[in-house]
Amino acid sequence: MKKRRVAILISGRGSNMTALIEAATAADYPAEIVLVISNVASAPGLAFAAKASIETLTIESKSFGKDREAFERKLNDTLLAKNIELVCLAGFMRLLTPWFVQQWQGKMLNIHPALLPAYKGLHTHERALADGAKTHGATVHFVVPEMDSGPIVLQGEVPVMAGDTPDTLAKRVLAVEHRIYPEALRLVASGKVDVASAPT
Ligand code: GRF
């Protein structure tokens, strides 16, 4: 089996990145994580990736100021130079332009902490609680130019419990994220799911 070459883009903690790295150590996993890029130099996730002997790079978006495309050209050139085939956004807190998204159309996944199309954007747990939602969860989807949209690869649901706070709910959802992201990457890397077959 030829493993697909994957880069993970992070900005922070990197717990989803860690789940992907750990899953990809299995001999029969159809993808290998060859590169982790952070747009924030102090992202704690970088240390874990380095410890796992994965190449890490920082491309600081801050230093490009408002020039989004210059940052993204550098990002894109780097991914191409490393022969990356699939990109996983994992807590990557930077909006991507349609140009960049188009370069990776059908080859870039994101995880969002809500049952899309519900609760796009930030503060998903607070908003689910404020609405009195009975269930909540996480979604892995192909990235399209519109934020937190795009064909869905996998979703995982959790109950909202009486007395939940944003933190307790986030913790329950995060456990699901760590289960579904590796499974979604498996489906995409093995060709069982592609952008055309996934439901929007
Ligand atoms: C996760 O909740 C993910 O769904 C969202 O950002 C958070 C990143 O956490 N996109 P981590 O860096 O993977 O720990």
Side-chain angles (χ1 to χ4, degrees):
M1 173 191 50
K2 191 163 174 321
K3 294 183 182 240
R4 312 294 302 278
R5 291 172 64 80
V6 173
I8 305 176
L9 271 49
I10 65 168
S11 301
R13 177 176 60 177
S15 70
N16 279 290
M17 173 208 75
T18 300
L20 291 169
I21 289 173
E22 284 172 351
T25 60
D28 68 345
Y29 198 78
E32 56 176 334
I33 313 302
V34 295
L35 180 63
V36 170
I37 301 178
S38 174
N39 68 320
V40 178
S42 60
L46 287 170
F48 180 89
K51 221 163 56 199
S53 302
I54 290 166
E55 182 177 0
T56 58
L57 280 175
T58 299
I59 303 178
E60 274 212 286
S61 45
K62 212 169 63 187
S63 52
F64 289 89
K66 286 205 165 68
D67 194 350
R68 273 179 192 284
E69 292 206 6
F71 164 71
E72 292 181 355
R73 271 198 303 278
K74 172 106 189 257
L75 192 56
N76 196 49
D77 289 349
T78 305
L79 295 169
L80 294 178
K82 305 277 179 193
N83 298 316
I84 298 302
E85 298 170 277
L86 294 169
V87 174
C88 290
L89 306 181
F92 185 68
M93 302 304 285
R94 175 104 185 159
L95 285 178
L96 295 165
T97 67
W99 174 80
F100 185 85
V101 172
Q102 242 155 43
Q103 308 304 305
W104 293 92
Q105 201 182 357
K107 299 179 198 161
M108 182 157 60
L109 299 175
N110 180 45
I111 186 149
H112 182 72
L115 293 172
L116 291 173
Y119 306 119
K120 299 178 181 186
L122 298 173
H123 309 300
T124 58
H125 310 308
E126 285 85 343
R127 285 153 61 206
L129 286 174
D131 282 354
K134 295 275 178 285
T135 58
H136 189 43
T139 303
V140 179
H141 63 96
F142 285 100
V143 177
V144 297
E146 192 191 331
M147 189 188 65
D148 298 331
S149 302
I152 289 171
V153 181
L154 272 183
Q155 292 189 303
E157 202 172 291
V158 300
V160 178
M161 313 272 212
D164 260 340
T165 64
D167 280 354
T168 59
L169 185 54
K171 212 164 145 200
R172 197 172 308 123
V173 170
L174 197 62
V176 167
E177 295 184 38
H178 297 164
R179 178 172 59 74
I180 66 171
Y181 211 172
E183 194 45 39
L185 178 59
R186 177 193 285 280
L187 291 171
V188 172
S190 64
K192 291 200 174 87
V193 170
D194 62 29
V195 69
S197 65
T200 38

